[in-house]
Amino acid sequence: MNCLIVYAHPNPKSFNAAVLKTVTDNLSATHTVQLIDLYADHFDPVLRFDDDHKRRDLTSDPATKRYRDLVTWADQFIFIFPIWWSGMPAMMKGFIDRVFVAGFAYHNTNTGLKGHLNGKAWIITTHNTPAFITPFAQDYGKVLKGQILKSCGIRPVKISQLTGIEKNSDQERQKKLAMIAQTAKTI
């Protein structure tokens, strides 16, 4: 299986980095894995529309061609990012805005969006929201699942929310990483 990991965290020593390492260490060796580390790539998240940048041209933007090729290549998507202020990092949002574009990832129909992509996804988010509030909180992991990936044809989509990270002990963090390792082994 072709696994594409899309990762967004600016600190290479963060808990998110530990999540990324846990995922990559526990995916089956039979999979081919590619990583898009948006911060390491210095991805430009800014979507521009002006005389030189037309919305209709996003499907052929040379700056995002490598990313579109990887998205098309993938059978399994794994998104890893923190939730900040109830949203995904601007880097991840910019990636979605610039790569998952009309004409490439989907097109509009009279009854809604028709997805062009295939595969399944696993979204791993970290945040400090207490676990008991998580079901009620606006969470861009849920937005990515229900309003973006599914609309683009990617199904099923699983979400793993790692909550209360800032206050977790090292032992609690290790338990969360063990859970991620178990899930990664099943892909």
Side-chain angles (χ1 to χ4, degrees), residues 107-114 151:
H107 71 272
N108 292 296
T109 71
N110 291 337
T111 58
L113 302 181
K114 171 71 174 154
S151 295

Side-chain angles (χ1 to χ4, degrees), residues 3 5 21-33 76 78 122 181 183-187:
C3 295
I5 301 172
K21 182 174 180 357
T22 300
V23 169
T24 57
D25 287 353
N26 287 281
L27 288 172
S28 170
T30 62
H31 298 323
T32 303
V33 179
Q76 171 73 53
I78 302 171
W122 180 24
T183 302
K185 288 175 184 176
T186 65
I187 292 177

Side-chain angles (χ1 to χ4, degrees), residues 72-131:
T72 303
W73 165 86
D75 303 308
Q76 171 73 53
F77 298 86
I78 302 171
F79 293 87
I80 303 170
F81 59 92
I83 299 296
W84 293 329
W85 291 104
S86 297
M88 63 181 71
M91 190 71 81
M92 182 67 77
K93 179 66 168 78
F95 177 80
I96 298 299
D97 288 347
R98 293 191 63 208
V99 176
F100 285 71
V101 297
F104 168 69
Y106 68 92
H107 71 272
N108 292 296
T109 71
N110 291 337
T111 58
L113 302 181
K114 171 71 174 154
H116 297 180
L117 303 177
N118 296 303
K120 53 190 173 178
W122 180 24
I123 301 167
I124 306 167
T125 62
T126 62
H127 49 90
N128 291 323
T129 307

Side-chain angles (χ1 to χ4, degrees), residues 10-11 19 40 44-45 50 59-60 63-64 71 85 87 98 100 135-136 144 148 157-158 179-180 185-186:
N11 183 351
V19 170
D44 178 3
D50 55 31
T59 60
S60 59
T64 57
V71 166
W85 291 104
R98 293 191 63 208
F100 285 71
F136 311 104
L144 179 59
I148 299 168
V157 179
K158 175 182 175 49
M179 179 195 69
I180 292 298
K185 288 175 184 176
T186 65

